[in-house]
Amino acid sequence: MKKKYIYAAVLILIIVFPAVRFLSGNSVTERRSFKMDTDITITGSGRNMNKAADEIEALLDEIDVNLNSYSAEGELAELNEKKEGVLSGGAAEAVYIAEDVRKNSDGAFNIAVKPLIDVWGFGRGGDGRVPSQNEIDEALKVVAETKIKADGDKISVSGNGKIDLGAVAKGYASDKSREILKKNKVKYAVLNFGGNIVTYGKKPDGEDFVIGISDGEGGAYAAVRTAETCIVTSGGYERYFEYEGKKYHHLLNPHTGYPAENGLVSVTVISENGTLADALSTACYVSGLEKGMALAEKYKVCAVFLDEEKNVYTVGNPDISLESDEYILVKKERKAA
Ligand code: ADP
Ligand code: MG
């Protein structure tokens, strides 16, 4: 009698265990959180998807300390304070990419922009304010004089200069997250870090993911069909304040000291390299349509520019549809917010 019982138990374990594994392999993990000062969505499937999502969340928390120039502690805060320091775990790569984009954008993109961000009050949790011309001039002088040197993981910054990695940190997080998805052999996943999208694998029906690009008004104006890639959008509508009837957004022109105003609503950059896509989306936005398109061309990435007249310009023939209502995630995310 006893023996029979044991057999039965073993049998149930064998049957149930693979069933549970099978089910969990097909169930979808969907997590929402607020990290790195933005809305985060992690969606995906695969046996280790929950583990991967845990690791991604821990990674974002770590990056939010180490690469956040407004954190009281962490590597970037220490670097800015001591004028030299280490960005570990490969994060220095984000500085190399940013410096390359600075050179190629004639300084329209510049991670030494922090003093300017600070006078505009666009730092962490800041509501934003219109600074005096004097404050802008002083900040502009510091930004223009700042030299950034990089040697392996070691980074140094000259004079009173300070580095802000806000324009590349989420892209860098995207690249590290893709490594986590790969390591955990996840089946498919779509990550959204506040407009930095990572697509990994294919939809359950075997088709590529289709990602909607926000029109800045709560809808989507286009859909991009993607293979595994990163899709990053920068727009003036993302973070701004209003003063005396005028909108001031957080993408600053390091030459004028004011928010870039060039008739663009947003720029979306599509590249396998998330850090580069993030840097370029900001760089192209600040550069404006003509110079921005040339910059995207130079880096051989796909890009989609939307202007205030709702004209759409593309670089590199992205697989985009202007009519499709097939899009997912970006719009879904904005609806829920
Ligand atoms: P978001 O982080 O809002 O998605 P971006 O990737 O475009 O958008 O990055 C915006 C951040 O980049 C700003 O909050 C600021 O920290 C920083 N920044 C603003 N202007 C510039 C610039 N011209 N060059 C480099 N970084 C910038
Ligand atoms: Mg960016």
Side-chain angles (χ1 to χ4, degrees):
M1 265 314 261
K2 233 182 180 182
K3 252 186 184 170
K4 250 186 188 168
Y5 198 73
I6 290 168
Y7 281 139
V10 170
L11 209 73
I12 287 165
L13 265 181
I14 292 169
I15 294 166
V16 170
F17 193 48
V20 167
R21 290 177 77 175
F22 180 74
L23 278 175
S24 66
N26 283 283
S27 69
V28 176
T29 295
E30 193 169 342
R31 293 198 197 172
R32 283 165 188 271
S33 56
F34 189 84
K35 293 177 187 295
M36 296 182 76
D37 211 19
T38 195
D39 292 318
I40 306 288
T41 321
I42 300 171
T43 313
S45 185
R47 191 149 43 98
N48 292 327
M49 186 58 214
N50 272 316
K51 182 167 165 276
D54 287 343
E55 288 179 28
I56 289 168
E57 285 178 344
L59 167 82
L60 297 182
D61 287 337
E62 186 195 311
I63 290 177
D64 201 14
V65 173
N66 274 337
L67 298 191
N68 175 1
S69 69
Y70 297 93
S71 167
E73 50 185 65
E75 293 179 345
L76 183 60
E78 197 178 322
L79 193 172
N80 277 334
E81 169 99 16
K82 297 188 175 151
K83 303 295 157 207
E84 57 180 19
V86 165
L87 295 182
S88 63
E93 178 69 12
V95 174
Y96 284 87
I97 289 174
E99 281 297 276
D100 196 63
V101 173
R102 178 177 66 81
K103 284 182 205 112
N104 286 313
S105 67
D106 297 324
F109 183 84
N110 187 351
I111 53 169
V113 77
K114 181 170 161 66
L116 209 46
I117 302 285
D118 287 343
V119 296
W120 278 93
F122 278 124
R124 229 5 120 83
D127 291 335
R129 58 182 273 269
V130 180
S132 70
Q133 190 58 47
N134 210 19
E135 286 176 294
I136 290 178
D137 290 343
E138 273 175 32
L140 273 179
K141 195 161 174 280
V142 177
V143 175
E145 285 170 358
T146 303
K147 300 260 178 309
I148 294 168
K149 283 201 181 129
D151 176 14
D153 281 358
K154 282 195 217 113
I155 312 289
S156 67
V157 56
S158 68
N160 293 324
K162 284 196 163 93
I163 295 176
D164 178 320
L165 292 178
V168 282
K170 282 178 277 166
Y172 169 69
S174 304
D175 291 334
K176 297 292 271 191
S177 297
R178 185 183 298 282
E179 285 172 22
I180 291 173
L181 296 171
K182 242 183 226 166
K183 189 189 76 187
N184 283 292
K185 299 193 169 63
V186 160
K187 245 193 200 153
Y188 65 84
V190 179
L191 315 177
N192 183 357
F193 303 158
N196 283 235
I197 313 283
V198 175
T199 56
Y200 182 85
K202 287 183 187 287
K203 287 195 292 179
D205 64 6
E207 294 284 318
D208 285 333
F209 284 102
V210 178
I211 303 296
I213 307 179
S214 170
D215 57 10
E217 296 167 1
Y221 73 90
V224 193
R225 186 175 301 280
T226 71
E228 268 185 33
T229 194
C230 288
I231 305 176
V232 183
T233 301
S234 283
Y237 57 84
E238 282 173 35
R239 193 160 293 192
Y240 63 88
F241 67 89
E242 277 186 52
Y243 179 70
E244 294 183 345
K246 193 171 157 46
K247 282 184 180 171
Y248 296 89
H249 63 73
H250 72 317
L251 303 175
L252 303 178
N253 181 333
H255 298 306
T256 65
Y258 283 83
E261 265 187 86
N262 40 38
L264 288 178
V265 172
S266 70
V267 180
T268 298
V269 174
I270 303 153
S271 164
E272 278 166 34
N273 185 329
T275 312
L276 179 67
D278 199 2
L280 284 178
S281 68
T282 310
C284 291
Y285 184 90
V286 175
S287 298
L289 184 62
E290 209 171 303
K291 287 184 180 167
M293 285 179 77
L295 188 63
E297 201 75 71
K298 180 157 198 159
Y299 279 94
K300 296 190 167 45
V301 294
C302 288
V304 188
F305 293 68
L306 174 69
D307 75 11
E308 283 162 359
E309 266 83 58
K310 301 200 190 292
N311 297 310
V312 177
Y313 305 83
T314 62
V315 173
N317 294 321
D319 190 356
I320 141 174
S321 155
L322 297 180
E323 277 139 52
S324 174
D325 55 0
E326 238 189 310
Y327 51 81
I328 50 163
L329 277 150
V330 173
K331 184 168 182 192
K332 210 168 129 192
E333 171 69 5
R334 289 196 181 273
K335 257 192 182 164

